Amino acid sequence: MKIFMTGGNGFVGTHLTRALTAEGHQVTLLVRKGANVPALPQEVTLLEGRSTEAGAWQESVPAHDVLVNLAGATIFRRWSPAYKQLLRDSRILTTRRLVDAITADAAPKITLLSTSAVGYYGFRQDEELDEHSPPGTDFLAKLAIDWEAEALRAREKGTRVCIMRFGVVLGRGGALPEMARPFRFFVGGPIGTGTQWFSWIHIDDLTRAARFVMEHPSIEGPANFTAPQPVTNRDLSTALGKVLGRPSFMPAPGFMIKLIMGEFGEVILNGQRVIPRLLTDAGFRFGYPDIEAALRNLLVHV
């Protein structure tokens, strides 16, 4: 297959690109001029362009079989009003430009895999959530609603669309090294009450799930890209401590998280208990359904 990817030079995109090229697929990455691009297989084609802006790069889109939309500024930092606008623009404008680039004649032959997040569901305490659950009303939920709506416009052209609602992606990059750092220094523990739910996915399962969706034309619409066993923050802390051989009883008070992180602190102190119903019903099998096994794979001897 010929695959076109936005955000492909990031943590998830790099892993997915390597997995796809290893299987013989051709991958084109849209990158900004002067962007820091990690070492990638020589089979990867780099195309310069700004994903949030219309440009010559859009002319290449119809020649591909699959479009993978991963672009978006990280949410893992304090949000100023200007940064919240960047969060919106980097996601919504990129998705809009990508869908605009799908021509009428190419649309029925194309599959669009567009990223969203479990933040779509808002903060729902212990409620178990699947793809049929309604959205929340906070900033991230509203952002996800608008983001997904831009991707779903491609359906009107006849394109198959799958919305990948990511949980926290665990790998040897991304968020996990920062999560593990306090434990390595013997000051790790639960955040706030520790009762909030943590929906996660191992990076290898995410890349396999994306390829699974590409290869199964019957899968479309929203799909939760999360492990089938979400855990509470306290259970996550216990697993981190056990895998690293460190104590896990030093809590981070909620008021400190809010003081340091502002509005984003609410995301850390709350959570969603998300189940990947669509993927499991379609027959996908997770390699790392258990948090301790996933952490042991990613953190031991690293």
Side-chain angles (χ1 to χ4, degrees):
M1 291 186 290
K2 296 181 66 177
I3 299 161
F4 184 96
M5 196 179 301
T6 67
N9 56 329
F11 168 59
V12 172
T14 299
H15 280 79
L16 182 55
T17 296
R18 288 172 178 155
L20 290 168
T21 54
E23 294 179 351
H25 301 297
Q26 300 176 44
V27 179
T28 299
L29 302 186
L30 179 65
V31 296
R32 289 188 179 187
K33 185 176 182 179
N36 182 25
V37 179
L40 291 169
Q42 62 181 10
E43 297 87 356
V44 175
T45 299
L46 299 181
L47 178 65
E48 288 188 353
R50 296 179 68 90
S51 64
T52 57
E53 299 176 1
W57 65 268
Q58 292 173 296
E59 299 172 6
S60 300
V61 169
H64 293 80
D65 304 301
V66 179
L67 313 179
V68 182
N69 183 27
L70 298 171
T74 180
I75 67 167
F76 292 98
R77 54 167 286 179
R78 191 179 181 92
W79 301 343
S80 65
Y83 195 74
K84 288 172 76 171
Q85 189 61 50
L86 177 62
L87 289 174
R88 286 189 60 84
D89 289 348
S90 61
R91 288 161 171 75
I92 292 171
L93 295 182
T94 292
T95 309
R96 184 177 300 165
R97 304 305 179 215
L98 187 60
V99 172
D100 287 347
I102 301 173
T103 57
D105 60 329
K109 309 169 190 174
I110 290 176
T111 294
L112 170 61
L113 275 64
S114 193
T115 309
S116 183
V118 296
Y120 171 91
Y121 301 108
F123 306 133
R124 310 282 279 278
Q125 298 182 331
D126 291 333
E127 182 181 352
E128 189 173 276
L129 306 166
D130 66 16
E131 291 84 357
H132 296 292
S133 301
T137 58
D138 60 283
F139 170 74
L140 281 186
K142 292 176 181 177
L143 172 56
I145 291 168
D146 293 344
W147 190 9
E148 294 184 10
E150 288 293 339
L152 290 170
R153 288 193 305 116
R155 278 180 168 176
E156 301 168 10
K157 299 184 176 188
T159 294
R160 175 168 72 106
V161 179
C162 178
I163 304 293
M164 305 180 292
R165 290 178 181 160
F166 288 178
V168 177
V169 182
L170 301 182
R172 294 191 175 95
L176 182 57
E178 293 303 315
M179 292 165 54
R181 189 183 305 277
F183 292 85
R184 294 189 186 279
F185 287 96
F186 295 87
V187 291
I191 296 173
T193 65
T195 60
Q196 68 272 32
W197 286 93
F198 180 78
S199 294
W200 60 279
I201 186 168
H202 190 295
I203 184 64
D204 289 350
D205 280 336
L206 185 150
T207 58
R208 288 178 52 247
R211 284 141 55 206
F212 184 85
V213 170
M214 292 179 195
E215 295 163 1
H216 288 75
S218 62
I219 298 177
E220 58 181 330
N224 294 328
F225 275 49
T226 59
Q229 299 175 24
V231 294
T232 64
N233 182 265
R234 186 174 299 280
D235 289 340
L236 169 66
S237 298
T238 299
L240 275 166
K242 183 176 181 180
V243 168
L244 293 172
R246 300 290 193 272
S248 59
F249 56 81
M250 296 289 289
F255 77 89
M256 287 183 58
I257 300 299
K258 291 180 182 179
L259 184 65
I260 295 168
M261 300 305 299
E263 185 178 355
F264 176 58
E266 294 293 338
V267 177
I268 298 174
L269 294 169
N270 293 280
Q272 302 85 16
R273 186 181 185 182
V274 179
I275 305 299
R277 189 87 61 200
L278 187 148
L279 284 175
T280 53
D281 285 353
F284 181 76
R285 296 292 177 260
F286 287 81
Y288 298 94
D290 173 75
I291 188 66
E292 185 178 328
L295 293 175
R296 197 168 297 282
N297 172 261
L298 294 167
L299 293 174
V300 175
H301 308 306
V302 175

